[in-house]
Amino acid sequence: MHETAYEITTLTPQHPTPNPGMLPTDIPLGVQMVTLPGGIRTLAYTPQQAPPAPPVPVAQPIPAWAKTTALLTPTIGGGIAAAGVGLSYAAPGLIAMSEALWAAVALIAAAAIGVPMLLRLGRSAAGAGRSSTHITQNITATGMFGKATGTINHR
């Protein structure tokens, strides 16, 4: 005979069958509706089953990108710190260099304005005794794609 983990009790005439309209909420805890091998449905006490234990977490390997990032972080931080120290030492020189660059810009601007003026003054002083050459050019064309003709006059 097959042994079960719980005791199945059938209802006898002293215990009438449950109302077929019985709601599942009316059945007390630890009691379930069981169908016997002969097809008879009855209530039976069932042992309380312990909930399954939660799964034990398995250690996951650390991804390669995380290892690489962890190794590069101090290097990058050290480089930034070294750059900050270098800039603090270079600050006086950078200030002097910016002042020298402004002086160079002023010199270039003065040269851009002054040299053409000196050349113009030099031409007008050198050309006061002689006449200048005038060239006149007349170009005519007929139509949008017509051939252009022209004359050049030297005086």
Side-chain angles (χ1 to χ4, degrees), residues 70-87:
L71 291 173
L72 284 177
T73 301
T75 306
I76 293 171
I80 292 172
V85 170
L87 283 175

Side-chain angles (χ1 to χ4, degrees), residues 30-114:
V31 176
Q32 289 185 347
M33 183 66 74
V34 177
T35 304
L36 299 174
I40 299 171
R41 293 189 62 172
T42 184
L43 292 176
Y45 289 101
T46 56
Q48 293 291 333
Q49 295 181 358
V56 178
V58 178
Q60 298 291 327
I62 297 173
W65 65 266
K67 290 180 185 178
T68 304
T69 303
L71 291 173
L72 284 177
T73 301
T75 306
I76 293 171
I80 292 172
V85 170
L87 283 175
S88 69
Y89 282 120
L94 292 174
I95 292 170
M97 194 181 311
S98 90
E99 290 174 4
L101 286 174
W102 279 115
V105 167
L107 181 65
I108 291 171
I113 295 171

Side-chain angles (χ1 to χ4, degrees), residues 138-142 146-151:
N138 296 321
I139 300 173
T140 58
T142 57
K147 184 177 178 183
T149 58
T151 58

Side-chain angles (χ1 to χ4, degrees), residues 7 16 18 40 81-83 121 125 130 145 148 155:
E7 180 181 347
I40 299 171
L121 287 174
R130 62 181 184 181
F145 298 106
R155 290 193 241 167

